[in-house]
Amino acid sequence: MKIKICGLSREEDILCANEIRPDFIGFVFAPKSRRYVSPKQAERLRRLLSPEIVPVGVFVNEEPELAAELLNEGVIGMAQLHGQEDEAYIRRLRALTEKPLIQAFRIDTRQDAERAECSGADYILLDHGAGGTGESFDWSLLKDVKRPYFLAGGLNPDNAARALQQAKPYALDVSSGVETGGVKDPEKMRAFVRQVRQACGTAASSCGRPVTEQE
């Protein structure tokens, strides 16, 4: 089971991540987000990040040239597309970089989940609403999804184990669920990671989707 903690923006967030070792962390490059960081801020924070953790850049309808530049310069290791990016956009971005791409989808119906499975991105992320809402959705809509996916939306230390058992995702992606007062809370970050790893330790045979050749 993989863990992604999204929306890191301060040095103390990075130091906590280095301590608890999630598999991925996220830098949000969407200017309208309260978690926004500039490319320069991300570059500075990236230098503090353990090399064992993959930094993901979250973009919303950004010009592919900027995403590719940050990927190719090593500021981020993956790009997460969280707007209305389509297959033509993905093809444009792939022409500029070979780094992995994640495409996010809002899931309201089973048809939404079926559409997500057709994505040309390397990974898909299934979320509630536009992302960052702190609300979950009906995980039973995902029961027929075959490809590994990141699960986001309304996750927190209290429901992480249940999300693993019910949805069996490739990775859990948390943001507002490990915040207090709009900023990352180190105790909640630790609690989330602890709950996921404990749940996997007690139910290893059914913990998450299988590893694929992409890893």
Side-chain angles (χ1 to χ4, degrees):
M1 166 53 56
K2 305 292 186 182
I3 300 170
K4 177 170 172 276
I5 302 179
C6 200
L8 276 61
S9 60
R10 306 173 302 163
E11 288 188 13
E12 49 263 54
D13 300 340
I14 299 296
L15 295 177
C16 183
N18 288 344
E19 172 197 332
I20 60 178
R21 289 292 198 276
D23 303 279
F24 311 91
I25 61 96
F27 294 133
V28 177
F29 294 112
K32 293 183 179 180
S33 172
R34 60 182 172 84
R35 302 178 183 92
Y36 171 76
V37 295
S38 69
K40 286 188 176 180
Q41 286 175 294
E43 184 176 7
R44 178 175 55 83
L45 294 172
R46 174 69 177 89
R47 288 196 293 267
L48 301 175
L49 185 68
S50 167
E52 299 174 9
I53 302 171
V54 178
V56 179
V58 180
F59 301 94
V60 177
N61 303 323
E62 183 58 76
E63 290 297 323
E65 289 77 12
L66 175 59
E69 180 181 354
L70 294 173
L71 286 163
N72 293 334
E73 290 182 352
V75 176
I76 53 176
M78 303 174 72
Q80 178 177 316
L81 311 177
H82 229 296
Q84 285 74 51
E85 299 89 355
D86 57 14
E87 290 299 311
Y89 181 100
I90 290 175
R91 288 193 295 271
R92 288 175 61 195
L93 186 50
R94 286 201 187 281
L96 300 170
T97 183
E98 296 180 352
K99 296 297 180 66
L101 308 179
I102 306 168
Q103 186 174 17
F105 291 86
R106 170 178 178 159
I107 304 300
D108 292 317
T109 67
R110 287 184 181 173
Q111 288 71 32
D112 294 329
E114 292 172 1
R115 181 171 60 89
E117 284 206 278
C118 297
S119 170
D122 299 279
Y123 298 90
I124 55 174
L125 181 146
L126 309 181
D127 199 353
H128 175 281
T133 63
E135 299 178 7
S136 61
F137 60 95
D138 182 0
W139 297 329
S140 69
L141 297 173
L142 311 180
K143 68 183 184 67
D144 294 324
V145 175
K146 298 297 189 294
R147 68 184 286 184
Y149 61 87
F150 287 71
L151 178 65
L155 297 174
N156 57 60
D158 295 328
N159 66 9
R162 181 164 56 87
L164 290 178
Q165 295 164 1
Q166 292 187 11
K168 294 182 172 58
Y170 163 76
L172 292 182
D173 188 333
V174 66
S175 186
S176 61
V178 291
E179 293 180 349
T180 298
V183 297
K184 290 295 179 287
D185 183 324
E187 289 306 314
K188 290 182 179 179
M189 291 170 66
R190 294 184 186 104
F192 185 86
V193 170
R194 183 169 59 249
Q195 289 300 317
V196 172
R197 289 178 177 156
Q198 286 179 352
C200 285
T202 57
S205 62
S206 61
C207 187
R209 297 297 173 103
V211 174
T212 70
E213 292 182 358
Q214 289 174 327
E215 293 186 82

